[in-house]
Amino acid sequence: MKTKALLIFTRNPELGKVKTRLAKTIGNEKALQVYQDLLQHTMEQTQDLDCDKYVFYDTAIIENDIWNPKFYYKKVQSQGDLGKKMLVAFESLFNLGYQKCIIIGSDLFDLKTAIIENAFTQLNTSDVVIGPAEDGGYYLLGLNQINELIFQNKQWGTSSVLDRTLKDLAKNKIHLLPTLNDIDTFEDLEKSNYILK
């Protein structure tokens, strides 16, 4: 077992259940294709990282998908809001003995291997590493230990999440990564380099 773990939160790629805000503009089938391409990109950028990797599915584990069990452990997210789901996931891995844990979503064509590697490095000298998203949330959260405040009293999915999180961490040493664009709406997609087929 390594001392570092990467948690990847995903949604099960089902028609009509992923990228619903994007689907309002481009339709469910194209939105599903975008999400499958996002998952593929996330896998390609994380597969060779020197850490243990865990994919947390939102509803059920899928066998024989893009997440090769040679490289990824598979788990299911807990019940509750996003904060609760993240807290339980972090706790489960810290309890296994990992010393540095980073969580990412699967919504960024801008995410690169080097960004995650840098986040792990920054945890050597920081309590918390955060990758801010342009929409006021964050795309990456890295911790050396559990801080429950991070996961409580947030309006998840809104532009207030990052500000509230930073206020909760006022006494901690935080490292902020570059701000990236996660894909929730058609405007987000237009800002990315993604070519809609």
Side-chain angles (χ1 to χ4, degrees), residues 14-36:
E14 297 173 19
L15 188 67
K17 295 188 177 177
V18 295
K19 296 288 150 217
T20 51
R21 282 190 280 169
L22 179 61
K24 287 175 185 170
T25 308
I26 65 173
N28 284 329
E29 289 184 4
K30 285 186 176 174
L32 177 60
Q33 183 60 56
V34 170
Y35 189 59
Q36 287 171 326

PDB file of all heavy atoms in Angstrom, residues 14-36:
ATOM      1  N   GLU A  14     -25.219   7.253 -17.372  1.00  0.00           N
ATOM      2  CA  GLU A  14     -26.528   6.794 -17.839  1.00  0.00           C
ATOM      3  C   GLU A  14     -27.259   7.940 -18.535  1.00  0.00           C
ATOM      4  O   GLU A  14     -27.225   9.084 -18.073  1.00  0.00           O
ATOM      5  CB  GLU A  14     -27.364   6.294 -16.654  1.00  0.00           C
ATOM      6  CG  GLU A  14     -26.757   5.084 -15.949  1.00  0.00           C
ATOM      7  CD  GLU A  14     -27.514   4.709 -14.682  1.00  0.00           C
ATOM      8  OE1 GLU A  14     -28.672   5.136 -14.549  1.00  0.00           O
ATOM      9  OE2 GLU A  14     -26.931   4.004 -13.838  1.00  0.00           O
ATOM     10  N   LEU A  15     -27.923   7.606 -19.608  1.00  0.00           N
ATOM     11  CA  LEU A  15     -28.644   8.602 -20.400  1.00  0.00           C
ATOM     12  C   LEU A  15     -29.673   9.346 -19.547  1.00  0.00           C
ATOM     13  O   LEU A  15     -30.460   8.728 -18.837  1.00  0.00           O
ATOM     14  CB  LEU A  15     -29.354   7.906 -21.576  1.00  0.00           C
ATOM     15  CG  LEU A  15     -29.999   8.822 -22.613  1.00  0.00           C
ATOM     16  CD1 LEU A  15     -28.930   9.593 -23.374  1.00  0.00           C
ATOM     17  CD2 LEU A  15     -30.858   8.015 -23.578  1.00  0.00           C
ATOM     18  N   GLY A  16     -29.618  10.671 -19.598  1.00  0.00           N
ATOM     19  CA  GLY A  16     -30.586  11.486 -18.870  1.00  0.00           C
ATOM     20  C   GLY A  16     -30.222  11.749 -17.422  1.00  0.00           C
ATOM     21  O   GLY A  16     -30.926  12.483 -16.732  1.00  0.00           O
ATOM     22  N   LYS A  17     -29.093  11.168 -16.957  1.00  0.00           N
ATOM     23  CA  LYS A  17     -28.731  11.325 -15.543  1.00  0.00           C
ATOM     24  C   LYS A  17     -27.392  12.025 -15.333  1.00  0.00           C
ATOM     25  O   LYS A  17     -26.987  12.220 -14.199  1.00  0.00           O
ATOM     26  CB  LYS A  17     -28.692   9.949 -14.869  1.00  0.00           C
ATOM     27  CG  LYS A  17     -30.072   9.291 -14.825  1.00  0.00           C
ATOM     28  CD  LYS A  17     -30.056   8.042 -13.985  1.00  0.00           C
ATOM     29  CE  LYS A  17     -31.452   7.437 -13.892  1.00  0.00           C
ATOM     30  NZ  LYS A  17     -31.454   6.177 -13.131  1.00  0.00           N
ATOM     31  N   VAL A  18     -26.721  12.372 -16.413  1.00  0.00           N
ATOM     32  CA  VAL A  18     -25.439  13.061 -16.280  1.00  0.00           C
ATOM     33  C   VAL A  18     -25.471  14.361 -17.068  1.00  0.00           C
ATOM     34  O   VAL A  18     -26.157  14.475 -18.082  1.00  0.00           O
ATOM     35  CB  VAL A  18     -24.257  12.186 -16.762  1.00  0.00           C
ATOM     36  CG1 VAL A  18     -24.102  10.960 -15.873  1.00  0.00           C
ATOM     37  CG2 VAL A  18     -24.428  11.763 -18.221  1.00  0.00           C
ATOM     38  N   LYS A  19     -24.752  15.346 -16.557  1.00  0.00           N
ATOM     39  CA  LYS A  19     -24.641  16.642 -17.230  1.00  0.00           C
ATOM     40  C   LYS A  19     -26.007  17.185 -17.646  1.00  0.00           C
ATOM     41  O   LYS A  19     -26.243  17.569 -18.799  1.00  0.00           O
ATOM     42  CB  LYS A  19     -23.710  16.524 -18.446  1.00  0.00           C
ATOM     43  CG  LYS A  19     -22.290  16.171 -18.058  1.00  0.00           C
ATOM     44  CD  LYS A  19     -21.617  17.335 -17.393  1.00  0.00           C
ATOM     45  CE  LYS A  19     -20.565  16.933 -16.392  1.00  0.00           C
ATOM     46  NZ  LYS A  19     -20.485  17.773 -15.219  1.00  0.00           N
ATOM     47  N   THR A  20     -26.918  17.225 -16.685  1.00  0.00           N
ATOM     48  CA  THR A  20     -28.299  17.609 -16.993  1.00  0.00           C
ATOM     49  C   THR A  20     -28.411  19.088 -17.396  1.00  0.00           C
ATOM     50  O   THR A  20     -29.242  19.432 -18.243  1.00  0.00           O
ATOM     51  CB  THR A  20     -29.223  17.317 -15.795  1.00  0.00           C
ATOM     52  OG1 THR A  20     -28.649  17.895 -14.610  1.00  0.00           O
ATOM     53  CG2 THR A  20     -29.363  15.811 -15.585  1.00  0.00           C
ATOM     54  N   ARG A  21     -27.580  19.948 -16.820  1.00  0.00           N
ATOM     55  CA  ARG A  21     -27.621  21.363 -17.228  1.00  0.00           C
ATOM     56  C   ARG A  21     -27.117  21.521 -18.657  1.00  0.00           C
ATOM     57  O   ARG A  21     -27.667  22.300 -19.444  1.00  0.00           O
ATOM     58  CB  ARG A  21     -26.796  22.222 -16.273  1.00  0.00           C
ATOM     59  CG  ARG A  21     -27.529  22.513 -14.962  1.00  0.00           C
ATOM     60  CD  ARG A  21     -26.801  23.542 -14.145  1.00  0.00           C
ATOM     61  NE  ARG A  21     -25.691  22.968 -13.410  1.00  0.00           N
ATOM     62  CZ  ARG A  21     -24.765  23.672 -12.775  1.00  0.00           C
ATOM     63  NH1 ARG A  21     -24.794  24.994 -12.818  1.00  0.00           N
ATOM     64  NH2 ARG A  21     -23.802  23.077 -12.119  1.00  0.00           N
ATOM     65  N   LEU A  22     -26.083  20.775 -18.996  1.00  0.00           N
ATOM     66  CA  LEU A  22     -25.563  20.790 -20.364  1.00  0.00           C
ATOM     67  C   LEU A  22     -26.588  20.211 -21.332  1.00  0.00           C
ATOM     68  O   LEU A  22     -26.768  20.708 -22.447  1.00  0.00           O
ATOM     69  CB  LEU A  22     -24.262  19.971 -20.407  1.00  0.00           C
ATOM     70  CG  LEU A  22     -23.562  19.826 -21.744  1.00  0.00           C
ATOM     71  CD1 LEU A  22     -23.149  21.181 -22.291  1.00  0.00           C
ATOM     72  CD2 LEU A  22     -22.349  18.915 -21.603  1.00  0.00           C
ATOM     73  N   ALA A  23     -27.288  19.170 -20.890  1.00  0.00           N
ATOM     74  CA  ALA A  23     -28.268  18.487 -21.752  1.00  0.00           C
ATOM     75  C   ALA A  23     -29.408  19.411 -22.168  1.00  0.00           C
ATOM     76  O   ALA A  23     -30.016  19.209 -23.228  1.00  0.00           O
ATOM     77  CB  ALA A  23     -28.818  17.259 -21.036  1.00  0.00           C
ATOM     78  N   LYS A  24     -29.697  20.430 -21.365  1.00  0.00           N
ATOM     79  CA  LYS A  24     -30.775  21.362 -21.729  1.00  0.00           C
ATOM     80  C   LYS A  24     -30.467  22.072 -23.037  1.00  0.00           C
ATOM     81  O   LYS A  24     -31.372  22.511 -23.747  1.00  0.00           O
ATOM     82  CB  LYS A  24     -30.973  22.387 -20.611  1.00  0.00           C
ATOM     83  CG  LYS A  24     -31.653  21.795 -19.372  1.00  0.00           C
ATOM     84  CD  LYS A  24     -31.730  22.799 -18.247  1.00  0.00           C
ATOM     85  CE  LYS A  24     -32.290  22.144 -16.985  1.00  0.00           C
ATOM     86  NZ  LYS A  24     -32.165  23.014 -15.808  1.00  0.00           N
ATOM     87  N   THR A  25     -29.173  22.193 -23.362  1.00  0.00           N
ATOM     88  CA  THR A  25     -28.769  22.867 -24.595  1.00  0.00           C
ATOM     89  C   THR A  25     -28.484  21.880 -25.722  1.00  0.00           C
ATOM     90  O   THR A  25     -28.878  22.113 -26.866  1.00  0.00           O
ATOM     91  CB  THR A  25     -27.492  23.717 -24.354  1.00  0.00           C
ATOM     92  OG1 THR A  25     -27.715  24.558 -23.222  1.00  0.00           O
ATOM     93  CG2 THR A  25     -27.162  24.571 -25.557  1.00  0.00           C
ATOM     94  N   ILE A  26     -27.814  20.779 -25.407  1.00  0.00           N
ATOM     95  CA  ILE A  26     -27.347  19.892 -26.486  1.00  0.00           C
ATOM     96  C   ILE A  26     -28.073  18.543 -26.524  1.00  0.00           C
ATOM     97  O   ILE A  26     -27.824  17.729 -27.417  1.00  0.00           O
ATOM     98  CB  ILE A  26     -25.818  19.650 -26.392  1.00  0.00           C
ATOM     99  CG1 ILE A  26     -25.441  18.894 -25.112  1.00  0.00           C
ATOM    100  CG2 ILE A  26     -25.059  20.957 -26.502  1.00  0.00           C
ATOM    101  CD1 ILE A  26     -23.979  18.476 -25.057  1.00  0.00           C
ATOM    102  N   GLY A  27     -28.974  18.304 -25.564  1.00  0.00           N
ATOM    103  CA  GLY A  27     -29.713  17.041 -25.545  1.00  0.00           C
ATOM    104  C   GLY A  27     -29.011  15.972 -24.717  1.00  0.00           C
ATOM    105  O   GLY A  27     -27.801  16.045 -24.488  1.00  0.00           O
ATOM    106  N   ASN A  28     -29.789  14.992 -24.286  1.00  0.00           N
ATOM    107  CA  ASN A  28     -29.270  13.966 -23.379  1.00  0.00           C
ATOM    108  C   ASN A  28     -28.191  13.094 -24.004  1.00  0.00           C
ATOM    109  O   ASN A  28     -27.213  12.730 -23.339  1.00  0.00           O
ATOM    110  CB  ASN A  28     -30.418  13.069 -22.889  1.00  0.00           C
ATOM    111  CG  ASN A  28     -31.260  13.754 -21.830  1.00  0.00           C
ATOM    112  OD1 ASN A  28     -30.766  14.568 -21.058  1.00  0.00           O
ATOM    113  ND2 ASN A  28     -32.545  13.428 -21.797  1.00  0.00           N
ATOM    114  N   GLU A  29     -28.362  12.735 -25.279  1.00  0.00           N
ATOM    115  CA  GLU A  29     -27.400  11.812 -25.894  1.00  0.00           C
ATOM    116  C   GLU A  29     -26.027  12.458 -26.047  1.00  0.00           C
ATOM    117  O   GLU A  29     -25.002  11.842 -25.746  1.00  0.00           O
ATOM    118  CB  GLU A  29     -27.926  11.307 -27.239  1.00  0.00           C
ATOM    119  CG  GLU A  29     -29.099  10.340 -27.060  1.00  0.00           C
ATOM    120  CD  GLU A  29     -29.590   9.744 -28.368  1.00  0.00           C
ATOM    121  OE1 GLU A  29     -28.974  10.027 -29.421  1.00  0.00           O
ATOM    122  OE2 GLU A  29     -30.582   8.998 -28.326  1.00  0.00           O
ATOM    123  N   LYS A  30     -26.010  13.702 -26.484  1.00  0.00           N
ATOM    124  CA  LYS A  30     -24.715  14.389 -26.621  1.00  0.00           C
ATOM    125  C   LYS A  30     -24.107  14.684 -25.245  1.00  0.00           C
ATOM    126  O   LYS A  30     -22.886  14.624 -25.078  1.00  0.00           O
ATOM    127  CB  LYS A  30     -24.868  15.677 -27.441  1.00  0.00           C
ATOM    128  CG  LYS A  30     -25.030  15.402 -28.930  1.00  0.00           C
ATOM    129  CD  LYS A  30     -25.023  16.677 -29.749  1.00  0.00           C
ATOM    130  CE  LYS A  30     -25.095  16.357 -31.235  1.00  0.00           C
ATOM    131  NZ  LYS A  30     -25.222  17.565 -32.069  1.00  0.00           N
ATOM    132  N   ALA A  31     -24.956  15.009 -24.285  1.00  0.00           N
ATOM    133  CA  ALA A  31     -24.450  15.255 -22.927  1.00  0.00           C
ATOM    134  C   ALA A  31     -23.807  13.991 -22.358  1.00  0.00           C
ATOM    135  O   ALA A  31     -22.771  14.059 -21.683  1.00  0.00           O
ATOM    136  CB  ALA A  31     -25.580  15.734 -22.016  1.00  0.00           C
ATOM    137  N   LEU A  32     -24.413  12.847 -22.633  1.00  0.00           N
ATOM    138  CA  LEU A  32     -23.828  11.583 -22.183  1.00  0.00           C
ATOM    139  C   LEU A  32     -22.483  11.348 -22.866  1.00  0.00           C
ATOM    140  O   LEU A  32     -21.519  10.914 -22.221  1.00  0.00           O
ATOM    141  CB  LEU A  32     -24.784  10.421 -22.472  1.00  0.00           C
ATOM    142  CG  LEU A  32     -24.268   9.017 -22.108  1.00  0.00           C
ATOM    143  CD1 LEU A  32     -23.948   8.908 -20.623  1.00  0.00           C
ATOM    144  CD2 LEU A  32     -25.285   7.954 -22.517  1.00  0.00           C
ATOM    145  N   GLN A  33     -22.400  11.662 -24.159  1.00  0.00           N
ATOM    146  CA  GLN A  33     -21.128  11.496 -24.875  1.00  0.00           C
ATOM    147  C   GLN A  33     -20.047  12.395 -24.284  1.00  0.00           C
ATOM    148  O   GLN A  33     -18.898  11.979 -24.107  1.00  0.00           O
ATOM    149  CB  GLN A  33     -21.305  11.811 -26.361  1.00  0.00           C
ATOM    150  CG  GLN A  33     -20.036  11.600 -27.197  1.00  0.00           C
ATOM    151  CD  GLN A  33     -19.544  10.173 -27.141  1.00  0.00           C
ATOM    152  OE1 GLN A  33     -20.278   9.260 -27.462  1.00  0.00           O
ATOM    153  NE2 GLN A  33     -18.300   9.972 -26.715  1.00  0.00           N
ATOM    154  N   VAL A  34     -20.413  13.646 -23.980  1.00  0.00           N
ATOM    155  CA  VAL A  34     -19.447  14.561 -23.347  1.00  0.00           C
ATOM    156  C   VAL A  34     -18.969  13.967 -22.027  1.00  0.00           C
ATOM    157  O   VAL A  34     -17.768  13.963 -21.728  1.00  0.00           O
ATOM    158  CB  VAL A  34     -20.073  15.955 -23.121  1.00  0.00           C
ATOM    159  CG1 VAL A  34     -19.160  16.825 -22.249  1.00  0.00           C
ATOM    160  CG2 VAL A  34     -20.347  16.642 -24.455  1.00  0.00           C
ATOM    161  N   TYR A  35     -19.898  13.448 -21.235  1.00  0.00           N
ATOM    162  CA  TYR A  35     -19.499  12.914 -19.928  1.00  0.00           C
ATOM    163  C   TYR A  35     -18.613  11.678 -20.090  1.00  0.00           C
ATOM    164  O   TYR A  35     -17.632  11.520 -19.356  1.00  0.00           O
ATOM    165  CB  TYR A  35     -20.710  12.596 -19.057  1.00  0.00           C
ATOM    166  CG  TYR A  35     -20.280  12.247 -17.645  1.00  0.00           C
ATOM    167  CD1 TYR A  35     -19.554  13.169 -16.891  1.00  0.00           C
ATOM    168  CD2 TYR A  35     -20.521  11.001 -17.093  1.00  0.00           C
ATOM    169  CE1 TYR A  35     -19.109  12.863 -15.618  1.00  0.00           C
ATOM    170  CE2 TYR A  35     -20.077  10.684 -15.826  1.00  0.00           C
ATOM    171  CZ  TYR A  35     -19.368  11.621 -15.093  1.00  0.00           C
ATOM    172  OH  TYR A  35     -18.901  11.305 -13.839  1.00  0.00           O
ATOM    173  N   GLN A  36     -18.935  10.823 -21.061  1.00  0.00           N
ATOM    174  CA  GLN A  36     -18.079   9.653 -21.285  1.00  0.00           C
ATOM    175  C   GLN A  36     -16.676  10.084 -21.722  1.00  0.00           C
ATOM    176  O   GLN A  36     -15.675   9.478 -21.303  1.00  0.00           O
ATOM    177  CB  GLN A  36     -18.720   8.736 -22.338  1.00  0.00           C
ATOM    178  CG  GLN A  36     -19.932   7.997 -21.777  1.00  0.00           C
ATOM    179  CD  GLN A  36     -20.725   7.256 -22.847  1.00  0.00           C
ATOM    180  OE1 GLN A  36     -20.822   7.706 -23.990  1.00  0.00           O
ATOM    181  NE2 GLN A  36     -21.302   6.126 -22.472  1.00  0.00           N
TER     182      GLN A  36
END
